[in-house]
Amino acid sequence: MRSIQLAGAALALVSGLAVSAPAFAATTRTFNLQTVVWVSKENPAQKKTVKKFGEVYGFSPSTLVVRQGDKVVINIRNLEAGGDDGHTFTLKAYGINQTLSPLSTDKVSFTATKAGVFQYYCEFHKPWMSGELVVLPSK
Ligand SMILES: [Cu+2]
């Protein structure tokens, strides 16, 4: 990287052109996510809602913003104890399908090579248990 910058600077001197540094350098972006229980059969006050919609879960935060080229590290805490409340963190665009261990923290990491808006979700509770990864283009 440094040799490329030096080569660019040398080229600028030779050609008389100014070389502007990139506005943002790629970095590591770390997020801490948790599963969220919005509606649970264990909550007596939510009985009617469970009957209508089933149990409802989510991720918090549900929007992750990074830049193309960034290394992304996502620590995901699954607050559920297991049983029929299993979760996954699935981000198809990046080939990720991570089973979330009950009452544990799992780590997902990848490099955000593709710019765009990509949905992630839980295989068992999609489409409502979902969020978006926003990868801002590097150029
Ligand atoms: Cu789930």
Side-chain angles (χ1 to χ4, degrees), residues 56-124:
V56 183
Y57 301 95
F59 290 106
S60 178
S62 58
T63 303
L64 312 176
V65 181
V66 303
R67 288 186 184 280
Q68 191 175 11
D70 283 351
K71 184 180 179 196
V72 182
V73 177
I74 309 174
N75 300 309
I76 311 165
R77 200 157 72 163
N78 182 1
L79 304 186
E80 267 64 64
D84 56 355
D85 299 333
H87 298 303
T88 70
F89 178 87
T90 304
L91 177 60
K92 273 235 168 88
Y94 279 90
I96 293 164
N97 188 18
Q98 173 74 47
T99 298
L100 301 180
S101 312
L103 299 179
S104 300
T105 304
D106 286 291
K107 181 190 271 192
V108 165
S109 59
F110 58 95
T111 301
T113 53
K114 294 173 276 191
V117 180
F118 308 101
Q119 191 183 53
Y120 61 83
Y121 52 84
C122 166
E123 282 284 0
F124 306 119

Side-chain angles (χ1 to χ4, degrees), residues 27-47:
T27 186
T28 299
R29 300 269 299 148
T30 301
F31 298 93
N32 295 307
L33 263 67
Q34 299 179 93
T35 62
V36 177
V37 184
W38 294 109
V39 177
S40 163
K41 65 186 178 205
E42 280 78 30
N43 185 339
Q46 296 175 327
K47 199 172 177 181

